């Protein structure tokens, strides 16, 4: 063990990077207080006697000769009740408390506890004195809010122990609620404990994900679904809808808890989330969406280095709730801004640059983030299962997919939602390309889906892809030789594909009803459109024209399906019969 309180002196400052001498004995990744102001930083490199420190606050005004003191601890988060519904900065300082204490900007060097030290929580023990426990065992619970039972577990670093004393009643996060007797002596368990952000929380084993994470977004759920415990990336140029899709997932994903990281993007986008969530109801629980959300804000006006930490702060909090056996979904917008922070620090360290100036370890660092996602069996008394799904937005310059951050991300994620500027330009939202995107998860939960609905869903999905693919080829032909060259059947394919695109894949995030679609509604909508394909084709076989087939009133109803409220789905169910009836009638009048 190296010495704890090591004090050195600043020798050089370069933006967010500070070099301090006299620090030869510090540990890599220790947190240090920099300068007279005590700015918070983290040691990221040691050369001889010098420590290289990335500082999470603006370094303006501090100078060489000022002291640097090591805290002897790695960058850590506080894990315990009070995380939900809170908005933190990149190193987990609560923004509201800062605002109360210091006004609307964050004063530098402010030492503020991450979790509220005064609030009392009602701790209900589930075990008694004398019980033998191990890491991950639930000792008791706290109702964090109406929706979330916060399990107080034996921290991961305690092997086996016996409960000496366990309390019941009202406690703050730093009160001792349980006394454990371990081989090494007594250990106090409090409602909170600390965990280093760069180290993934341990679990028993990882499973292949088998359940779908529903998002309420049709193009995602029907075509490019993500699994609970899976990973996805959304690259796209500016204005293509990355932030909107991340917000939609934060609102409607069927996870127990959402961790949303606003990383280097505009501050007002975080304000949007903050204003909306308390007013929206979770369709699965009926509670306000704020009661399941943790927000990490490290927006473009905040220090660059803290962006780098924000991703790890967020994922550590997410893993902690996964340990309780819950389904967690984490969104990061945007991982490109995070990678840029990495690049800036690397440049100042004068490391050998790789592609586009990013450090050579960019890929490893990106992988180390996404690898913390997963469907796991938790270290626990009951082999409980928890999942952590991770969805990262990537904003490459000009939307160029050959960008190193996009490429490194695609190597590790299993879902790719490719946003296209062409679609966004035509106001087709979500601008997810149905030709270039992919999901490698569908087969993982195919069985689950088919057990529930039979093979029909798989068939419908295949047929939808087929039609869109043919449409793409036909458009090319039409462009070259005109629509007249197409057969009636091909024209029908074009019309049906238009319905798929405009009345199914297109979804307006800002419409009260269209913003979220249940699985049932989604199924009915697609089934109806495919009925139009099937019955239309049969009508053409009997000599009718595509043009006439698409004049039936049911086509209007198809266009309005997305605005049918969830409790009136009968309106959609009846369209299938309308299609058949109206085509029959049309045929009789024509004959
Ligand atoms: P990015 O984050 O990629 O720069 P945004 O998510 O901010 O882009 O989206 C830009 C704009 O596109 C939004 O302000 C909105 O007008 C429109 N938009 C994106 N997605 C949708 C959607 N699903 N429904 C309606 N409008 C959308
Ligand atoms: Mg954005």
């Amino acid at each position: 063990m190296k010495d704890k309180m090591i004090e050195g002196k600043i020798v050089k400052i370069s933006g967010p990077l500070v070099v301090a001498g006299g620090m030869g004995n510090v540990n890599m990744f220790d947190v240090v207080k920099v300068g007279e102001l005590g700015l918070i930083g983290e040691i990221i490199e040691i050369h001889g006697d010098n420590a290289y420190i990335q500082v999470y606050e603006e370094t303006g005004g501090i100078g060489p000769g000022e002291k640097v003191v090591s805290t002897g601890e790695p960058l850590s988060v506080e894990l315990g009740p009070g995380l939900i519904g809170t908005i933190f900065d990149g190193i987990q300082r609560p923004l509201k408390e800062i605002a109360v204490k210091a006004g609307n900007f964050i004063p530098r060097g402010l030492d503020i506890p991450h979790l509220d030290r005064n609030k009392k929580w009602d701790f209900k023990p589930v075990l008694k004195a004398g019980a033998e426990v191990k890491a991950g065992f639930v000792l008791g619970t706290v109702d964090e809010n109406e929706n979330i039972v916060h399990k107080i577990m034996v921290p991961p670093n305690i092997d086996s122990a016996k409960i000496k004393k366990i309390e019941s009643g009202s406690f703050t996060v730093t009160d001792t609620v349980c006394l454990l007797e371990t081989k090494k002596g007594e250990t106090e368990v409090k409602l909170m404990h600390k965990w280093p952000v760069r180290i993934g929380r341990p679990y028993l084993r990882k499973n292949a994900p088998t359940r779908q994470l529903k998002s309420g977004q049709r193009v995602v759920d029907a075509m490019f679904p993500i699994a609970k415990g899976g990973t996805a990336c959304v690259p796209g140029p500016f204005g293509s809808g990355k932030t909107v899709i991340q917000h939609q997932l934060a609102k409607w994903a069927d996870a127990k808890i959402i961790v949303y990281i606003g990383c280097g993007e505009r501050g007002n986008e975080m304000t949007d989330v903050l204003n909306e969530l308390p007013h929206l109801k979770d369709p699965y629980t009926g509670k306000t969406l704020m009661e399941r959300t943790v927000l990490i804000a490290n927006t473009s006006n905040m220090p660059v280095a803290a962006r780098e930490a924000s991703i790890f702060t967020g994922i550590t909090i997410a893993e902690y709730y996964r340990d309780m056996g819950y389904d967690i979904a984490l969104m990061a917008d945007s991982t490109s801004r995070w990678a840029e922070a990495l690049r800036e620090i690397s440049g100042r360290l004068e490391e050998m640059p790789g592609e586009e100036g990013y450090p050579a370890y960019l890929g490893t660092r990106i992988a180390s983030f996404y690898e913390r996602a997963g469907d796991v069996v938790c270290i626990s008394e009951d082999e409980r299962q928890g999942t952590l799904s991770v969805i990262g937005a990537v904003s490459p310059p000009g939307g160029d997919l050959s960008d190193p951050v996009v490429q490194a991300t695609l190597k590790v994620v299993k879902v790719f939602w490719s946003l296209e500027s062409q679609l966004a330009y035509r106001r087709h939202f979500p601008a997810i390309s149905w030709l270039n995107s992919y999901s490698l998860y569908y087969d993982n939960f195919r069985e689950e889906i088919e057990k529930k609905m039979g093979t029909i869903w798989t068939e419908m999905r295949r047929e939808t892809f087929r039609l869109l693919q043919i449409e793409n080829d036909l458009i090319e032909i039409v462009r070259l030789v005109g629509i007249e060259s197409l057969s009636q059947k091909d024209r029908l394919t074009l019309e049906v594909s238009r319905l798929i695109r405009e009345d199914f894949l297109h979804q307006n995030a800002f419409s009260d009803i269209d913003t979220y679609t249940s699985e049932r509604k989604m199924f009915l909508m697609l089934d109806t459109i495919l009925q139009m394909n099937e019955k239309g084709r049969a009508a053409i076989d009997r000599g009718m024209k595509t043009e006439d087939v698409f004049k039936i009133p049911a086509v209007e109803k198809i266009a309005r399906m997305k605005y049918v409220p969830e409790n009136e789905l009968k309106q959609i169910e009846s369209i299938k019969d309308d299609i058949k009836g109206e085509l029959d009638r049309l045929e009789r009048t024509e004959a």
Side-chain angles (χ1 to χ4, degrees):
M1 221 21 219
K2 293 182 178 183
D3 260 355
K4 274 206 153 185
M5 285 306 213
I6 292 162
E7 187 172 325
K9 284 204 169 8
I10 298 178
V11 292
K12 187 181 155 195
I13 298 153
S14 163
L17 184 76
V18 165
V19 185
M23 305 283 288
N25 278 327
V26 290
N27 296 305
M28 259 307 258
F29 300 120
D30 270 3
V31 169
V32 291
K33 299 282 176 76
V34 176
E36 304 307 329
L37 283 168
L39 306 184
I40 299 164
E42 184 187 13
I43 295 175
I44 53 170
E45 225 173 281
I46 304 167
H47 283 307
D49 204 33
N50 284 347
Y52 292 72
I53 302 159
Q54 71 175 347
V55 180
Y56 293 132
E57 304 181 78
E58 295 303 341
T59 53
I62 61 167
E66 288 186 41
K67 67 175 181 189
V68 172
V69 186
S70 158
T71 61
E73 282 185 0
L75 185 68
S76 302
V77 283
E78 293 184 352
L79 302 171
L83 291 164
I84 305 287
T86 309
I87 169 162
F88 296 104
D89 76 356
I91 52 173
Q92 209 204 4
R93 293 177 302 181
L95 289 174
K96 203 160 106 205
E97 276 63 32
I98 294 174
V100 169
K101 234 178 157 160
N104 258 337
F105 73 106
I106 309 177
R108 295 187 292 170
L110 184 70
D111 219 347
I112 191 164
H114 300 171
L115 288 177
D116 190 333
R117 292 293 190 266
N118 300 316
K119 185 166 167 124
K120 293 210 160 181
W121 301 92
D122 196 20
F123 175 72
K124 290 177 268 195
V126 297
L127 291 176
K128 293 200 176 80
E132 304 274 352
V133 293
K134 285 184 178 164
F137 280 42
V138 176
L139 295 168
T141 62
V142 162
D143 290 334
E144 190 161 357
N145 58 38
E146 273 181 68
N147 188 22
I148 289 152
V149 176
H150 192 115
K151 298 177 183 168
I152 306 299
M153 301 163 287
V154 177
N157 44 13
I158 294 176
D159 243 357
S160 69
K162 192 176 191 168
I163 299 181
K164 194 166 179 201
K165 192 166 173 235
I166 189 159
E167 309 283 349
S168 167
S170 188
F171 300 94
T172 69
V173 288
T174 49
D175 291 335
T176 300
V177 292
C178 180
L179 203 58
L180 293 177
E181 225 175 279
T182 69
K183 283 183 212 113
K184 290 182 213 140
E186 284 182 357
T187 303
E188 296 172 341
V189 178
K190 303 168 192 309
L191 292 185
M192 66 157 244
H193 69 277
K194 288 188 179 185
W195 188 264
V197 299
R198 308 235 178 238
I199 297 176
R201 288 178 64 88
Y203 49 80
L204 221 47
R205 56 179 185 274
K206 210 176 239 190
N207 300 321
T210 51
R211 290 175 296 141
Q212 185 177 357
L213 178 77
K214 293 182 191 116
S215 70
Q217 312 305 299
R218 295 183 293 267
V219 56
V220 170
D221 292 354
M223 312 302 283
F224 308 106
I226 176 172
K228 284 187 170 149
T231 49
C233 96
V234 214
F238 179 77
S240 60
K242 297 179 293 294
T243 300
V244 172
I245 203 158
Q246 293 280 51
H247 284 191
Q248 288 298 94
L249 284 161
K251 290 174 195 166
W252 310 122
D254 70 328
K256 177 99 174 170
I257 288 159
I258 302 289
V259 177
Y260 190 96
I261 309 168
C263 180
E265 298 290 301
R266 290 184 301 275
N268 60 350
E269 294 177 344
M270 284 309 272
T271 323
D272 286 350
V273 183
L274 274 181
N275 290 338
E276 274 182 277
L277 288 184
H279 302 292
L280 293 173
K281 290 259 181 304
D282 183 341
Y284 311 97
T285 63
K287 304 285 158 45
T288 102
L289 287 173
M290 204 59 200
E291 284 179 25
R292 64 162 199 173
T293 309
V294 183
L295 291 165
I296 316 276
N298 210 264
T299 50
S300 47
N301 55 342
M302 294 179 172
V304 163
R307 254 185 233 173
E308 203 278 317
S310 66
I311 294 267
F312 294 98
T313 295
I315 204 150
T316 307
I317 292 173
E319 284 176 328
Y320 171 61
Y321 281 103
R322 176 175 65 182
D323 289 346
M324 297 177 201
Y326 295 142
D327 295 321
I328 320 299
L330 176 145
M331 290 99 216
D333 183 18
S334 138
T335 58
S336 293
R337 302 283 103 80
W338 165 78
E340 283 160 19
L342 203 66
R343 173 166 69 183
E344 164 150 11
I345 302 285
S346 166
R348 292 186 191 266
L349 283 169
E350 292 170 18
E351 292 174 335
M352 176 93 84
E355 253 183 289
E356 305 281 334
Y358 287 104
Y361 49 82
L362 174 72
T364 342
R365 200 64 73 86
I366 287 177
S368 78
F369 167 63
Y370 285 100
E371 275 162 8
R372 289 171 73 169
D375 176 332
V376 306
V377 177
C378 308
I379 296 180
S380 56
E381 69 282 16
D382 54 359
E383 298 235 321
R384 56 180 175 264
Q385 206 180 342
T387 64
L388 167 52
S389 318
V390 173
I391 301 113
V394 195
S395 28
D400 177 7
L401 295 180
S402 68
D403 164 75
V405 184
V406 174
Q407 286 303 315
T409 306
L410 287 179
K411 282 207 183 89
V412 289
V413 302
K414 295 230 157 74
V415 177
F416 170 46
W417 297 319
S418 179
L419 297 184
E420 300 206 335
S421 52
Q422 281 240 9
L423 292 175
Y425 179 76
R426 277 154 44 193
R427 311 283 312 156
H428 175 100
F429 289 116
I432 297 179
S433 159
W434 49 88
L435 296 172
N436 298 334
S437 304
Y438 59 75
S439 161
L440 302 181
Y441 289 118
Y442 191 77
D443 284 333
N444 292 34
F445 33 75
R446 185 197 210 114
E447 243 176 75
E448 180 203 339
I449 292 177
E450 293 187 351
K451 220 187 281 167
K452 200 163 60 184
M453 339 240 309
T455 54
I456 180 160
W457 182 241
T458 310
E459 284 157 16
M460 279 169 45
R461 184 167 176 267
R462 195 182 305 127
E463 180 67 359
T464 307
F465 273 124
R466 199 182 66 87
L467 287 165
L468 291 170
Q469 186 61 56
I470 300 177
E471 179 198 37
N472 190 54
D473 302 341
L474 290 176
I475 286 174
E476 192 57 20
I477 296 174
V478 171
R479 215 172 52 79
L480 294 173
V481 288
I483 185 105
E484 294 72 29
S485 63
L486 295 188
S487 69
Q488 288 297 325
K489 284 235 168 109
D490 282 345
R491 291 185 200 197
L492 188 93
T493 301
L494 285 184
E495 288 299 326
V496 173
S497 300
R498 188 179 53 77
L499 298 185
I500 294 173
R501 285 187 287 105
E502 294 179 1
D503 302 331
F504 184 74
L505 297 180
H506 177 279
Q507 188 169 355
N508 185 354
F510 304 110
S511 144
D512 284 347
I513 293 173
D514 200 26
T515 186
Y516 165 83
T517 300
S518 68
E519 188 178 41
R520 168 108 192 102
K521 179 174 171 182
M522 176 178 92
F523 178 84
L524 283 173
M525 288 174 76
L526 195 54
D527 191 33
T528 309
I529 292 173
L530 293 177
Q531 175 80 357
M532 193 65 203
N533 182 47
E534 203 187 305
K535 291 286 178 292
R537 235 156 261 277
I540 286 172
D541 279 338
R542 296 192 302 269
M544 289 166 69
K545 290 211 161 78
T546 301
E547 202 186 325
D548 296 323
V549 167
F550 271 79
K551 271 185 194 143
I552 60 171
V555 173
E556 264 301 301
K557 288 188 191 147
I558 290 176
R560 286 197 305 267
M561 288 190 298
K562 50 170 80 152
Y563 302 110
V564 172
E566 291 288 340
N567 57 4
E568 290 171 33
L569 295 184
K570 281 210 170 65
Q571 287 185 34
I572 302 182
E573 281 169 25
S574 61
I575 305 178
K576 268 177 92 166
D577 286 338
D578 294 344
I579 294 172
K580 193 172 174 304
E582 287 166 12
L583 283 178
D584 284 349
R585 231 170 295 141
L586 188 69
E587 200 174 352
R588 274 200 302 278
T589 48
E590 282 204 347

mmCIF file of all heavy atoms in Angstrom, residues 332-352:
data_model
loop_
_atom_site.group_PDB
_atom_site.id
_atom_site.type_symbol
_atom_site.label_atom_id
_atom_site.label_comp_id
_atom_site.label_asym_id
_atom_site.label_seq_id
_atom_site.Cartn_x
_atom_site.Cartn_y
_atom_site.Cartn_z
ATOM 1 N N ALA A 332 -26.611 7.482 -23.579
ATOM 2 C CA ALA A 332 -25.542 8.483 -23.530
ATOM 3 C C ALA A 332 -25.586 9.297 -24.815
ATOM 4 O O ALA A 332 -25.489 8.754 -25.908
ATOM 5 C CB ALA A 332 -24.189 7.800 -23.370
ATOM 6 N N ASP A 333 -25.751 10.603 -24.654
ATOM 7 C CA ASP A 333 -25.852 11.511 -25.808
ATOM 8 C C ASP A 333 -24.883 12.660 -25.574
ATOM 9 O O ASP A 333 -25.136 13.509 -24.758
ATOM 10 C CB ASP A 333 -27.295 12.021 -25.900
ATOM 11 C CG ASP A 333 -27.515 12.906 -27.115
ATOM 12 O OD1 ASP A 333 -26.691 12.867 -28.045
ATOM 13 O OD2 ASP A 333 -28.512 13.653 -27.120
ATOM 14 N N SER A 334 -23.750 12.702 -26.215
ATOM 15 C CA SER A 334 -23.299 11.812 -27.257
ATOM 16 C C SER A 334 -21.920 11.278 -26.915
ATOM 17 O O SER A 334 -21.106 12.005 -26.341
ATOM 18 C CB SER A 334 -23.264 12.619 -28.569
ATOM 19 O OG SER A 334 -22.155 12.369 -29.350
ATOM 20 N N THR A 335 -21.683 10.027 -27.286
ATOM 21 C CA THR A 335 -20.381 9.434 -26.985
ATOM 22 C C THR A 335 -19.261 10.077 -27.821
ATOM 23 O O THR A 335 -18.095 9.939 -27.484
ATOM 24 C CB THR A 335 -20.386 7.922 -27.242
ATOM 25 O OG1 THR A 335 -20.748 7.695 -28.597
ATOM 26 C CG2 THR A 335 -21.378 7.210 -26.335
ATOM 27 N N SER A 336 -19.637 10.784 -28.889
ATOM 28 C CA SER A 336 -18.599 11.482 -29.669
ATOM 29 C C SER A 336 -18.000 12.618 -28.859
ATOM 30 O O SER A 336 -16.791 12.859 -28.891
ATOM 31 C CB SER A 336 -19.191 12.053 -30.956
ATOM 32 O OG SER A 336 -19.567 11.015 -31.810
ATOM 33 N N ARG A 337 -18.869 13.325 -28.118
ATOM 34 C CA ARG A 337 -18.371 14.426 -27.282
ATOM 35 C C ARG A 337 -17.461 13.878 -26.188
ATOM 36 O O ARG A 337 -16.504 14.505 -25.771
ATOM 37 C CB ARG A 337 -19.544 15.193 -26.657
ATOM 38 C CG ARG A 337 -20.510 15.769 -27.656
ATOM 39 C CD ARG A 337 -19.963 17.035 -28.308
ATOM 40 N NE ARG A 337 -19.473 16.781 -29.663
ATOM 41 C CZ ARG A 337 -20.254 16.692 -30.735
ATOM 42 N NH1 ARG A 337 -21.548 16.841 -30.628
ATOM 43 N NH2 ARG A 337 -19.740 16.453 -31.921
ATOM 44 N N TRP A 338 -17.801 12.672 -25.717
ATOM 45 C CA TRP A 338 -16.965 12.006 -24.713
ATOM 46 C C TRP A 338 -15.598 11.650 -25.323
ATOM 47 O O TRP A 338 -14.551 11.907 -24.738
ATOM 48 C CB TRP A 338 -17.709 10.768 -24.223
ATOM 49 C CG TRP A 338 -16.873 9.788 -23.472
ATOM 50 C CD1 TRP A 338 -16.472 9.890 -22.172
ATOM 51 C CD2 TRP A 338 -16.328 8.568 -23.979
ATOM 52 N NE1 TRP A 338 -15.706 8.808 -21.830
ATOM 53 C CE2 TRP A 338 -15.600 7.982 -22.925
ATOM 54 C CE3 TRP A 338 -16.379 7.917 -25.211
ATOM 55 C CZ2 TRP A 338 -14.939 6.764 -23.071
ATOM 56 C CZ3 TRP A 338 -15.714 6.718 -25.354
ATOM 57 C CH2 TRP A 338 -15.011 6.152 -24.299
ATOM 58 N N ALA A 339 -15.634 11.094 -26.541
ATOM 59 C CA ALA A 339 -14.384 10.712 -27.205
ATOM 60 C C ALA A 339 -13.530 11.946 -27.505
ATOM 61 O O ALA A 339 -12.304 11.887 -27.449
ATOM 62 C CB ALA A 339 -14.690 9.948 -28.498
ATOM 63 N N GLU A 340 -14.189 13.056 -27.805
ATOM 64 C CA GLU A 340 -13.434 14.287 -28.052
ATOM 65 C C GLU A 340 -12.705 14.754 -26.787
ATOM 66 O O GLU A 340 -11.592 15.273 -26.857
ATOM 67 C CB GLU A 340 -14.367 15.395 -28.555
ATOM 68 C CG GLU A 340 -14.735 15.224 -30.019
ATOM 69 C CD GLU A 340 -15.998 15.981 -30.400
ATOM 70 O OE1 GLU A 340 -16.399 16.908 -29.656
ATOM 71 O OE2 GLU A 340 -16.592 15.630 -31.436
ATOM 72 N N ALA A 341 -13.347 14.562 -25.654
ATOM 73 C CA ALA A 341 -12.693 14.914 -24.385
ATOM 74 C C ALA A 341 -11.453 14.037 -24.201
ATOM 75 O O ALA A 341 -10.378 14.506 -23.832
ATOM 76 C CB ALA A 341 -13.658 14.730 -23.224
ATOM 77 N N LEU A 342 -11.621 12.754 -24.522
ATOM 78 C CA LEU A 342 -10.512 11.811 -24.441
ATOM 79 C C LEU A 342 -9.365 12.257 -25.352
ATOM 80 O O LEU A 342 -8.192 12.220 -24.988
ATOM 81 C CB LEU A 342 -11.044 10.454 -24.910
ATOM 82 C CG LEU A 342 -10.347 9.192 -24.482
ATOM 83 C CD1 LEU A 342 -10.484 9.016 -22.983
ATOM 84 C CD2 LEU A 342 -10.976 7.983 -25.192
ATOM 85 N N ARG A 343 -9.757 12.703 -26.554
ATOM 86 C CA ARG A 343 -8.756 13.134 -27.534
ATOM 87 C C ARG A 343 -8.012 14.381 -27.055
ATOM 88 O O ARG A 343 -6.800 14.489 -27.186
ATOM 89 C CB ARG A 343 -9.439 13.423 -28.872
ATOM 90 C CG ARG A 343 -8.512 14.045 -29.899
ATOM 91 C CD ARG A 343 -9.102 14.009 -31.282
ATOM 92 N NE ARG A 343 -10.243 14.906 -31.412
ATOM 93 C CZ ARG A 343 -10.969 15.010 -32.525
ATOM 94 N NH1 ARG A 343 -10.692 14.262 -33.574
ATOM 95 N NH2 ARG A 343 -11.974 15.832 -32.569
ATOM 96 N N GLU A 344 -8.760 15.303 -26.478
ATOM 97 C CA GLU A 344 -8.129 16.533 -26.008
ATOM 98 C C GLU A 344 -7.089 16.238 -24.923
ATOM 99 O O GLU A 344 -5.973 16.744 -24.960
ATOM 100 C CB GLU A 344 -9.199 17.497 -25.475
ATOM 101 C CG GLU A 344 -8.571 18.597 -24.636
ATOM 102 C CD GLU A 344 -9.310 19.914 -24.646
ATOM 103 O OE1 GLU A 344 -10.454 19.953 -25.140
ATOM 104 O OE2 GLU A 344 -8.723 20.900 -24.149
ATOM 105 N N ILE A 345 -7.463 15.395 -23.970
ATOM 106 C CA ILE A 345 -6.538 15.074 -22.884
ATOM 107 C C ILE A 345 -5.321 14.328 -23.437
ATOM 108 O O ILE A 345 -4.174 14.619 -23.084
ATOM 109 C CB ILE A 345 -7.246 14.203 -21.814
ATOM 110 C CG1 ILE A 345 -8.476 14.909 -21.259
ATOM 111 C CG2 ILE A 345 -6.276 13.824 -20.702
ATOM 112 C CD1 ILE A 345 -8.210 16.026 -20.297
ATOM 113 N N SER A 346 -5.599 13.390 -24.332
ATOM 114 C CA SER A 346 -4.520 12.611 -24.919
ATOM 115 C C SER A 346 -3.529 13.512 -25.655
ATOM 116 O O SER A 346 -2.309 13.343 -25.559
ATOM 117 C CB SER A 346 -5.103 11.570 -25.870
ATOM 118 O OG SER A 346 -4.101 11.023 -26.684
ATOM 119 N N GLY A 347 -4.067 14.503 -26.367
ATOM 120 C CA GLY A 347 -3.232 15.457 -27.091
ATOM 121 C C GLY A 347 -2.333 16.225 -26.134
ATOM 122 O O GLY A 347 -1.149 16.434 -26.380
ATOM 123 N N ARG A 348 -2.923 16.632 -25.018
ATOM 124 C CA ARG A 348 -2.135 17.404 -24.048
ATOM 125 C C ARG A 348 -1.101 16.542 -23.335
ATOM 126 O O ARG A 348 -0.086 17.051 -22.858
ATOM 127 C CB ARG A 348 -3.060 18.080 -23.051
ATOM 128 C CG ARG A 348 -3.896 19.175 -23.713
ATOM 129 C CD ARG A 348 -4.697 19.932 -22.702
ATOM 130 N NE ARG A 348 -5.678 20.791 -23.354
ATOM 131 C CZ ARG A 348 -5.462 22.067 -23.646
ATOM 132 N NH1 ARG A 348 -4.304 22.634 -23.374
ATOM 133 N NH2 ARG A 348 -6.408 22.781 -24.220
ATOM 134 N N LEU A 349 -1.357 15.245 -23.279
ATOM 135 C CA LEU A 349 -0.362 14.326 -22.710
ATOM 136 C C LEU A 349 0.738 14.043 -23.721
ATOM 137 O O LEU A 349 1.699 13.348 -23.441
ATOM 138 C CB LEU A 349 -1.020 12.999 -22.325
ATOM 139 C CG LEU A 349 -1.836 12.942 -21.042
ATOM 140 C CD1 LEU A 349 -2.611 11.636 -20.968
ATOM 141 C CD2 LEU A 349 -0.947 13.087 -19.820
ATOM 142 N N GLU A 350 0.554 14.570 -24.936
ATOM 143 C CA GLU A 350 1.467 14.353 -26.055
ATOM 144 C C GLU A 350 1.637 12.878 -26.374
ATOM 145 O O GLU A 350 2.728 12.413 -26.689
ATOM 146 C CB GLU A 350 2.805 15.048 -25.786
ATOM 147 C CG GLU A 350 2.629 16.561 -25.813
ATOM 148 C CD GLU A 350 3.837 17.332 -25.312
ATOM 149 O OE1 GLU A 350 4.937 16.750 -25.265
ATOM 150 O OE2 GLU A 350 3.669 18.508 -24.981
ATOM 151 N N GLU A 351 0.533 12.134 -26.279
ATOM 152 C CA GLU A 351 0.577 10.724 -26.666
ATOM 153 C C GLU A 351 0.599 10.626 -28.184
ATOM 154 O O GLU A 351 0.165 11.528 -28.879
ATOM 155 C CB GLU A 351 -0.676 10.006 -26.135
ATOM 156 C CG GLU A 351 -0.694 9.891 -24.632
ATOM 157 C CD GLU A 351 -2.008 9.320 -24.111
ATOM 158 O OE1 GLU A 351 -3.036 9.450 -24.799
ATOM 159 O OE2 GLU A 351 -1.992 8.774 -23.013
ATOM 160 N N MET A 352 1.059 9.491 -28.657
ATOM 161 C CA MET A 352 1.086 9.249 -30.095
ATOM 162 C C MET A 352 -0.349 9.163 -30.610
ATOM 163 O O MET A 352 -1.108 8.312 -30.175
ATOM 164 C CB MET A 352 1.796 7.923 -30.352
ATOM 165 C CG MET A 352 1.796 7.530 -31.795
ATOM 166 S SD MET A 352 3.270 8.117 -32.585
ATOM 167 C CE MET A 352 4.377 6.779 -32.151
#
